[in-house]
Amino acid sequence: MRESIEVVIIGSGPAGLTLANLLQRAGVGCVVLERQSRTYVEQRQRAGVLEHDGARLFEEWGLGESVLAGTTAGGMLEIRLDGQPRFFDVAALAGGRAGRIVPQQVLVGRLIEAFLAGGGDLRFEAAEVTPHGLDGSAPTVTYRDTAGVVHEIACAYVAGCDGFHGVSRASVPEGALTTYTYEHGYGWLTVLADAPAPYHPLFGIHPAGFAAQFARGPGASRFYLECAPGADVGEWGDERIWEQLRLRLGDAGLPTGPITEKLFVEMRCFVADPMRYGRLFLVGDAAHIITPMGGKGMNLAIADAGVLARGLRAALREGDERPLAAYSETCLKRVWDHQEFSRWMGEMMHEAGNATLAGPFRRQLARARLERLFSSDAAARAFADLMA
Ligand code: APR
């Protein structure tokens, strides 16, 4: 079957769904092709905080009500150093710019609903999605539907929103992109549990290693535990997890609950430059991955989608190609800024606790860096600005 549309979006994660909704609002025709089922996409639990700028983006495009209704503002952090709590008011220090607590699966579910309610074309279980002719003026994307029918969609532009392992970046010829990779030298075990959420996002710095607890809805928490890179999840039985969390978070009475997911997170970063090849634009994880420290992954994906939507609207509706031409440069500025922040924060949170990671001298430096956040207004504001 042959069809034609202005933009084909590959992938329906936070990046693809944000872009689809914004293009719909701009009156730009698009179709979204997703490999997984709707249920799978709506149940995938990952990020949990939408930055202030992300919330503003949805509001500016008239999606504030449908996407953010009923979500709560998050502005305070707790950092527990050797079991001693300290509170950091991000929202106040960032001039009132508070993020919103929105579990990714809630955001994704709402974006799907909003897009479909507006008459959007979202095709799940699309197999063998393949872009063609990206370096020419008339690209196409082919895929096979669940009935085995092969579709070919002609388009003006392709948006690669298919994550780190997707087909979009893999379709770019070798050598056309410069890629940067960085390993942080420690691993994280992430645990999802039906345990009461903490009042504020909680970071624990302790000689036994870093730990954290974040809300994922009122009755669920995501925990993180520093572990050796390449650690085996099998070595982390439930009892060991709770014992280490109690120790590192300095809370002997930490409420527990059934563990619903245990995963090893690779603390790896990746950036592709440029985030474009011909008529293909790479968006979100397809172009860059970042560690969860600082909560920037989903927010970078949403920010990219905002820049691309404005560029496509200008190119297709106003005949102005300049914002689209600047897409990669505009996004990469933010990507590198947040990579630096995430690395800076990760180094501080890990090295201030575990002296075996970087040695006792670096441990003292990391503690001085942390101390500065509570003693210097300028340092606190700089941190809050990046966090918000
Ligand atoms: N064909 C079609 N769809 C695909 C293909 C393919 N070949 N490969 C992957 N996909 C789909 C995946 O099934 C997924 O739904 O693309 C989507 C990519 O979504 P994400 O991996 O969530 O990437 P993105 O939208 O960029 O969001 C990135 O969100 O969860 C946070 O912190 C996380 O950094 C991450 C951010």
Side-chain angles (χ1 to χ4, degrees):
M1 280 181 66
R2 288 192 63 107
E3 306 164 64
S4 138
I5 190 94
E6 285 175 299
V7 180
V8 174
I9 300 174
I10 306 177
S12 72
L17 290 169
T18 300
L19 181 64
N21 274 284
L22 304 191
L23 291 183
Q24 186 177 63
R25 297 266 153 169
V28 172
C30 64
V31 55
V32 185
L33 303 178
E34 166 60 49
R35 187 175 56 181
Q36 302 284 358
S37 68
R38 179 171 178 176
T39 315
Y40 178 94
V41 170
E42 285 182 338
Q43 286 180 356
R44 192 167 37 200
Q45 304 207 14
R46 282 157 88 184
V49 177
L50 180 66
E51 285 177 354
H52 176 77
D53 284 358
R56 240 188 28 194
L57 178 76
F58 289 120
E59 281 160 2
E60 274 168 16
W61 285 78
L63 287 154
E65 190 49 37
S66 45
V67 172
L68 305 173
T71 62
T72 53
M76 189 76 94
L77 300 181
E78 181 179 348
I79 301 177
R80 241 177 246 169
L81 181 63
D82 301 331
Q84 295 304 308
R86 293 172 113 174
F87 295 92
F88 193 93
D89 193 341
V90 177
L93 286 158
R97 287 154 58 225
R100 313 289 309 174
I101 309 289
V102 191
Q104 179 170 322
Q105 70 276 19
V106 172
L107 183 76
V108 160
R110 290 180 174 189
L111 287 171
I112 290 175
E113 262 173 43
F115 185 60
L116 295 179
D121 187 348
L122 176 41
R123 306 183 192 177
F124 292 101
E125 298 178 64
E128 300 162 31
V129 174
T130 314
H132 309 268
L134 295 170
D135 53 354
S137 58
T140 58
V141 178
T142 53
Y143 76 97
R144 188 185 297 275
D145 70 19
T146 46
V149 178
V150 175
H151 297 247
E152 182 181 37
I153 311 177
C155 58
Y157 298 103
V158 179
C161 306
D162 48 352
F164 185 63
H165 300 286
V167 67
S168 299
R169 201 181 64 256
S171 307
V172 176
E174 185 102 5
L177 306 177
T178 302
T179 59
Y180 302 85
T181 314
Y182 183 77
E183 304 280 346
H184 285 255
Y186 46 80
W188 275 10
L189 177 74
T190 170
V191 173
L192 204 57
D194 292 330
Y199 202 61
H200 305 299
L202 169 61
F203 299 82
I205 298 174
H206 191 273
F210 171 79
Q213 182 185 8
F214 305 119
R216 289 294 183 269
S221 292
R222 185 176 283 289
F223 295 95
Y224 290 108
L225 278 162
E226 177 190 347
C227 54
D232 180 2
V233 175
E235 289 168 14
W236 286 84
D238 293 9
E239 210 25 68
R240 179 175 179 205
I241 288 172
W242 293 118
E243 182 252 316
Q244 282 295 309
L245 285 170
R246 282 192 288 265
L247 174 72
R248 298 182 192 190
L249 296 175
D251 182 355
L254 179 74
T256 62
I259 290 177
T260 53
E261 185 188 275
K262 262 185 225 179
L263 285 174
F264 180 70
V265 186
E266 293 204 45
M267 299 301 272
R268 192 195 319 145
C269 294
F270 173 88
V271 180
D273 180 356
M275 291 167 54
R276 172 180 193 169
Y277 173 72
R279 293 203 161 231
L280 168 73
F281 293 88
L282 298 173
V283 189
D285 273 20
H288 42 74
I289 54 171
I290 188 165
T291 72
M293 183 59 90
K296 299 300 185 193
M298 182 175 84
N299 288 294
L300 283 175
I302 290 169
D304 289 353
V307 176
L308 185 56
R310 282 191 283 270
L312 289 169
R313 179 176 61 186
L316 290 163
R317 289 291 165 275
E318 295 145 28
D320 180 1
E321 297 272 345
R322 285 170 303 178
L324 204 50
Y327 168 74
S328 178
E329 197 186 333
T330 307
C331 293
L332 284 173
K333 222 182 243 179
R334 181 187 296 105
V335 168
W336 282 116
D337 193 34
H338 287 197
Q339 290 281 8
E340 194 285 328
F341 172 65
S342 178
R343 165 72 181 147
W344 178 94
M345 186 175 173
E347 197 176 88
M348 176 176 74
M349 292 285 181
H350 290 80
E351 294 186 8
N354 181 354
T356 57
L357 199 62
F361 184 80
R362 295 260 303 239
R363 182 167 187 254
Q364 295 309 109
L365 295 187
R367 286 184 173 232
R369 192 188 279 182
L370 182 68
E371 196 52 48
R372 193 185 293 137
L373 297 183
F374 294 93
S375 58
S376 154
D377 189 56
R381 283 182 193 282
F383 175 74
D385 182 53
L386 284 155
M387 196 72 206

